Amino acid sequence: MKTVKVYGPGCKRCEATETLVRDTASKLGIEVDVEKVTDAKSITMAGVMSTPGLSVDGKLVHSGGVPDAAKLENWLST
């Protein structure tokens, strides 16, 4: 199971990122545990300079904007 964290204040882009993660994981047949992190201090401590941010298994892989679906597939598959 992959652990995915979506960092952001809860804006529409953050919610779209969460939906994209869940849909992509389902499409790939990968189990994911998705956690939304909305606390500003936690977001900053994770190294996210622009939201939404995304980490997979503890590694920050994206920051700023909804991620590209093809890149997301790669992050979840590795």
Side-chain angles (χ1 to χ4, degrees), residues 4-8 14 17-18 21 34-37 52-55:
V4 178
K5 291 185 180 181
V6 178
Y7 297 93
C14 299
T17 299
E18 179 186 7
V21 168
V34 180
E35 178 184 345
K36 291 173 71 174
V37 180
L54 186 69
S55 72

Side-chain angles (χ1 to χ4, degrees), residues 44-75:
T44 303
M45 289 180 65
V48 177
M49 297 301 183
S50 181
T51 61
L54 186 69
S55 72
V56 178
D57 291 336
K59 179 181 178 188
L60 185 64
V61 294
H62 179 78
S63 180
V66 177
D68 178 70
K71 288 182 181 178
L72 181 57
E73 285 184 21
N74 185 45
W75 297 326

